[in-house]
Amino acid sequence: MRWIAPAGLLALSVVPLVAGALRLTELAAGAPVTADNARFFAMPVPVLLHIPASLVFCVLGTFQFQARFRAGRPGWHRAAGRVLVACGLVAALSGVWLTLFSDLPAGDGTLLAAFRLLFGTAMAACLLLGLAAIRRRDVARHRAWMTRGYAIGLGAGTQAFTLAFGLAAFGPPGELGRALLVGAGWVINLAVAEWVVRRTLGGQVRTRSVS
């Protein structure tokens, strides 16, 4: 039973893992340039940073949320945490880089670009706040901020479901609909993360604040 949560997180990572692997293969093999992939060929460096960093972040992060595994391997948890923060920052900032300096893909618009900038920046901020908290030995706040940052990073997995739901319920979405469905993936993940934080760490965080 204790592996249900990590298994679920890994399952949620499957879609971005597969999509990322296919994109890297496409770039490495010199696939034909299409309207869908032109911006990646035009600006490959942030893509080559973003995809591997995201893959490591998604997979490695699942084990950080398994309490017994984490407690039994404190040295591994600390070492993996350093890698996790580094990869998460690279993933978040390279995503912001792509959003700011590459052409908008077909079907996207300024609202979705704004969402990507907002949540990419928020992810980086959460990871930095989590790092600052653990340096102060504030474990409760560290876990809370890292949970939020990981939830944002895992947004692509949830977005596969929100986009699929929108397609099934309403047909192919327009620019506004696509932005709202993608944004919903991040909002859902953050809502779940906040529920987990308040359920498991709320008392500890409040106690720290009062003291």
Side-chain angles (χ1 to χ4, degrees):
M1 291 291 290
R2 66 177 185 266
W3 288 101
I4 290 178
L9 293 173
L10 279 175
L12 199 59
S13 302
V14 167
V15 171
L17 287 174
V18 172
L22 290 174
R23 187 68 71 191
L24 287 178
T25 302
E26 193 176 49
L27 288 172
V33 177
T34 65
D36 180 57
N37 64 22
R39 70 190 188 114
F40 301 122
F41 280 97
M43 191 177 288
V45 174
V47 181
L48 295 174
L49 291 172
H50 182 76
I51 294 175
S54 298
L55 300 184
V56 174
F57 183 77
C58 288
V59 173
L60 194 61
T62 62
F63 299 98
Q64 299 293 72
F65 293 97
Q66 213 295 310
R68 291 190 182 182
F69 184 87
R70 184 178 66 236
R73 300 165 179 81
W76 186 93
H77 175 70
R78 286 190 292 270
R82 295 186 184 100
V83 175
L84 194 70
V85 169
C87 287
L89 289 173
V90 170
L93 297 178
S94 59
V96 170
W97 180 3
L98 270 171
T99 302
L100 285 173
F101 299 110
S102 68
D103 295 331
L104 289 175
D108 288 7
T110 54
L111 179 59
L112 182 49
F115 283 164
R116 287 182 172 137
L117 291 175
L118 172 64
F119 286 104
T121 304
M123 176 178 167
C126 287
L127 296 176
L128 290 174
L129 287 167
L131 180 61
I134 200 61
R135 289 176 66 86
R136 299 192 307 269
R137 300 187 184 280
D138 188 344
V139 175
R141 288 190 182 278
H142 166 71
R143 290 180 182 172
W145 285 117
M146 295 301 291
T147 299
R148 294 171 183 132
Y150 185 72
I152 296 173
L154 207 58
T158 307
Q159 285 155 9
F161 291 98
T162 57
L163 286 167
F165 170 79
L167 180 63
F170 309 109
E175 186 178 294
L176 176 61
R178 176 171 167 76
L180 294 176
L181 289 168
V182 171
W186 281 308
V187 171
I188 289 168
N189 280 16
L190 275 176
V192 172
E194 203 60 35
W195 176 79
V196 170
V197 166
R198 292 179 182 278
R199 181 173 180 269
T200 61
L201 301 171
Q204 299 175 54
V205 172
R206 286 193 296 272
T207 300
R208 292 275 187 175
S209 299
V210 171
S211 62

